[in-house]
Amino acid sequence: MLVNFTQTRPLDVENLERYDPVFILRFSLYSLTVGYIEPMEFAGLGLLAIAFVSMSSPDEGIRKLAYSTLGKFKDTLEQCKKRKEVTRIRLLLSSLQNGIEEPWQRIPSVVSIFAAEASFILLDPSHDQYSTLSRLLMNSSKLNLKNVPVFSDFFWSTSVNYRADRLWILRLVYAGLNSSDDAQIYIRNSIPETFMSFYFSPLSDTESKDLILQVVKRSVKSYKLTRHLVESCGLLLWLSSVLTANTRNSREETNIFIMQLTVVLEVVNGVISSRNITEWLQKEALEQLMELASHLLDTYLTPTSPTPTFILQQCLPMPRK
């Protein structure tokens, strides 16, 4: 669950324990068919979440199993009327179903992870996001698969739990960036621009800034997003501003700065690892490159900064074989 991400660093999806989705989906489908598992127990065990996430698989066979599992789950859910959570889970299923336009459609990863996380939240009325999510599902009959679900409602939340809402959507955006389709959704909805602007807002706390940096770091793994960040969002100037905006007046602030500097260097490494983008920078943004290099040098010259070896290890790309 997104709520279980670490407070200062989002979950590294690549290091999750591997499982066989085909086995789990077949087990889920069989268990629902013969009635071994009640629908709400099925959701509570995380099997519904796995079916949702599998809808974004590039493998059509896995997607077919996921759709079949969700269809059987919906059938069994219709017979379960004793708990109000059933109504909310049914709303989630219906809104996702209404957004699908073709058989076995591969849905964006950010949408499938949203549905998976929502399937847990809607079982727990005490969850910080329960009330807001329930209200949004009741007011909307269809999920737009070309948007990040509930992004504006959570990122710009005015609820009592506004900070928790914002951190939740930041983690969703981080975890949901896994494909070219996700990158296109982020670009179309100006997600990078929103985050980069908010970073310097008075409303942005340390944890929000850390998560925004992690999203940017993950974004430069996508060529499409990297090019957008560099050419349209002024990424290098933004990174320079990140370095100059941080204070180091205390030990805690210094530690925070060093962690953020590490991410900035990893972002730079990701950007300059692409030959096409590097060539564009040399032609169109040489001054931005020089300004960023100057800020990095100033950072190195301060007594509280990491060693030059550390900077070189983080900033220089590994030799290509």
Side-chain angles (χ1 to χ4, degrees):
M1 294 177 64
L2 297 176
V3 74
N4 291 329
F5 280 25
T6 61
Q7 294 301 306
T8 58
R9 184 172 54 195
L11 179 64
D12 185 353
V13 177
E14 296 176 357
N15 290 332
L16 282 174
E17 183 178 353
R18 301 296 180 179
Y19 62 87
D20 183 356
V22 174
F23 172 81
I24 293 180
L25 290 170
R26 286 176 175 168
F27 167 79
S28 299
L29 183 58
Y30 178 77
S31 298
L32 289 170
T33 301
V34 300
Y36 282 164
I37 304 178
E38 292 293 326
M40 304 315 292
E41 181 184 7
F42 183 87
L45 290 171
L47 296 174
L48 179 59
I50 290 175
F52 279 136
V53 170
S54 298
M55 295 174 73
S56 63
S57 171
D59 187 292
E60 185 176 290
I62 291 178
R63 294 201 305 276
K64 286 183 176 181
L65 277 173
Y67 275 92
S68 298
T69 300
L70 290 170
K72 178 56 66 175
F73 176 80
K74 188 175 182 181
D75 291 341
T76 58
L77 197 65
E78 295 297 331
Q79 305 169 19
C80 181
K81 303 177 181 179
K82 57 185 178 181
R83 294 170 60 181
K84 65 179 181 180
E85 287 84 358
V86 170
T87 301
R88 288 166 173 76
I89 293 293
R90 189 182 292 120
L91 283 172
L92 176 63
L93 280 166
S94 297
S95 63
L96 180 57
Q97 182 179 18
N98 293 339
I100 294 170
E101 300 176 344
E102 57 188 65
W104 323 125
Q105 180 177 339
R106 182 186 181 187
I107 69 173
S109 178
V110 67
V111 176
S112 70
I113 293 176
F114 162 78
E117 176 68 7
S119 71
F120 284 110
I121 293 174
L122 296 174
L123 299 177
D124 181 10
S126 67
H127 195 284
D128 287 341
Q129 280 72 55
Y130 178 86
S131 297
T132 304
L133 194 55
S134 297
R135 174 177 55 81
L136 292 172
L137 286 173
M138 287 189 286
N139 293 336
S140 177
S141 61
K142 176 180 177 181
L143 273 181
N144 187 340
L145 303 187
K146 295 181 180 179
N147 292 338
V148 177
V150 303
F151 178 79
S152 295
D153 299 276
F154 275 71
F155 192 73
W156 303 112
S157 173
T158 56
S159 74
V160 175
N161 298 314
Y162 70 92
R163 183 176 180 274
D165 289 346
R166 184 173 64 241
L167 294 176
W168 185 86
I169 201 68
L170 280 166
R171 294 183 180 109
L172 174 66
V173 169
Y174 173 86
L177 181 53
N178 297 295
S179 70
S180 178
D181 289 340
D182 300 313
Q184 188 58 47
I185 287 174
Y186 290 11
I187 293 171
R188 183 187 299 116
N189 291 277
S190 302
I191 301 296
E193 291 91 330
T194 299
F195 284 177
M196 292 166 72
S197 175
F198 183 79
Y199 185 93
F200 298 106
S201 164
L203 298 175
S204 184
D205 55 27
T206 299
E207 193 169 356
S208 296
K209 290 179 178 180
D210 287 345
L211 285 166
I212 289 171
L213 282 172
Q214 290 292 341
V215 171
V216 173
K217 173 186 170 182
R218 192 173 181 87
S219 297
V220 297
K221 294 181 180 180
S222 161
Y223 175 77
K224 182 183 294 186
L225 258 177
T226 304
R227 184 166 182 173
H228 176 73
L229 286 167
V230 170
E231 297 184 9
S232 303
C233 301
L235 176 63
L236 297 187
L237 291 177
W238 183 80
L239 292 174
S240 295
S241 298
V242 169
L243 293 176
T244 57
N246 287 282
T247 59
R248 283 158 279 176
N249 297 325
S250 67
R251 184 181 185 88
E252 181 180 1
E253 288 181 343
T254 299
N255 290 337
I256 291 172
F257 174 76
I258 290 174
M259 287 190 294
Q260 292 177 340
L261 173 62
T262 302
V263 178
V264 168
L265 292 171
E266 290 172 337
V267 171
V268 173
N269 181 44
V271 170
I272 64 178
S273 293
S274 169
R275 177 176 296 177
N276 290 338
I277 291 176
T278 300
E279 290 176 353
W280 183 90
L281 287 170
Q282 291 172 343
K283 293 179 181 178
E284 307 292 339
L286 187 58
E287 289 185 4
Q288 296 180 30
L289 274 172
M290 294 177 64
E291 181 176 343
L292 179 57
S294 175
H295 285 303
L296 287 171
L297 180 60
D298 290 343
T299 299
Y300 156 62
L301 292 175
T302 59
T304 56
S305 296
T307 64
T309 302
F310 172 84
I311 291 180
L312 289 173
Q313 287 174 341
Q314 295 295 329
C315 194
L316 294 179
M318 294 297 291
R320 292 195 179 102
K321 296 181 180 181

